[in-house]
Amino acid sequence: MAVLIHSLLLTSIYFTLSCSATSNNGGFTIDLLHRDPPSGEARFRSIRSAIDRSFSRKSSLLSKISNTKIDSVDATVTGAGGEYLMKFLIGTPPVEQLGIADTGSDLLWTQCLPCRQCYKQNSPLFNPSKSRSYRPVSCDSKECQDAGTSFCNEGNSCSYQVSYGDRSHTAGDVATETLSFGGKIAFPKVVFGCGHDNDGTFSEAESGIVGLGGGSASIVKQLRSTTGGRFSYCLTLLNANVSSKISFGSNAVVAGPDVVSTPLVKKSPDTYYYLTLEGISVGEKRTDLASSKAGFRPAAEEGNIIIDSGTTLTFVPLEIYQGVEAALDEAITGVKVTDPQGTFGLCYRVSGGQGIESPPVTVHFKGADLVVEAVSLFLEVEDGISCLTLVASLDLPIYGNLFQMNYHTGYDLVKGQVSFQNTDCATLE
């Protein structure tokens, strides 16, 4: 199987509204369009930046898991490539906003007027005083408690403050508003953060963050009575001009004879989606987790890996990585080289669009075996150097979005499972 060099993941992808279906249970679909990737040296700088963010994001997620008392949300965001931006309308009359879609956080927030400090954004800032449906949330309300990082301000209304792993931050008021998609489906009284003090490494395209995590403040949970607690996405591999998709409700059902599912494991914090990793195979050579350990959780305990749309790379326990690297090293014929920046353990020299011949790699979750797309295994991180995108982790295993490409991935919070269907996402309607 030829592993093609591909940097699609490391380009930004925008959610543009298609609302291709509307039904009684709130099913709707949103298109994901690829931003044109940079070329030349800028392309490799973008790749390295996305790689660096994977490591800082992993550290931030681990920090939140390790703390028994949560004072802030830790998740790294940045304005470069590798993000997924979701367009939505907020307020009455509606104002269009574009936020980072993030399965690793819960609260939806957007920059608001008046600004004590705001970073520059392309779209107009949301002005709550101009909206007929804006309502502040009181301090003693369940909505304030669900926001997770909230406290009382002088007016006895609810405020929030969030710090991120890259020293970005947002602070403002917790309120409810009408949220809509394409003007066709409107959801009233959605809890969100109206940010009046925001700064950091956000890009001008981003107005904030759309939390798709499993916590109470997430829009997945807030819209559950309408969407049934279901959402799915399908990230394309091939033509960057072909849209990927994210769906909610009835449109998010992943069905068919070839669908495999694995349980979602409930753990604290409930923001993250925990799965159970059992091992990884390279061809016929399988490496399983030892019974004594599995990264930050014992192997005997379920929920030993997080699936995360915001992390580029895939991090696995050291014992798994060593087995995979050894098997690939034995199977691949090529000129091995050292990653100049020391990030990756297995790299090869490539030239002229050359591919790398590799046996299939299969990730074994509980009840679900996923063959990783060839283009997801190796990435040209510098001119002429292609490296394995699997990385050893001594603490927090994460199943990153590069390995998820060309899988229709569905989350069902009611059934408590994640389903996968190997799909040419470029043809998914």
Side-chain angles (χ1 to χ4, degrees), residues 213-214 220-221 224 229-231 264 273 411-416:
V220 179
K221 284 288 186 71
R224 183 167 58 180
R230 296 188 298 264
F231 73 99
L264 276 170
Y273 298 112
Y411 297 71
D412 190 323
L413 274 60
V414 175
K415 289 185 177 179

Side-chain angles (χ1 to χ4, degrees), residues 92 120 298 374:
T92 309
K120 184 179 179 181

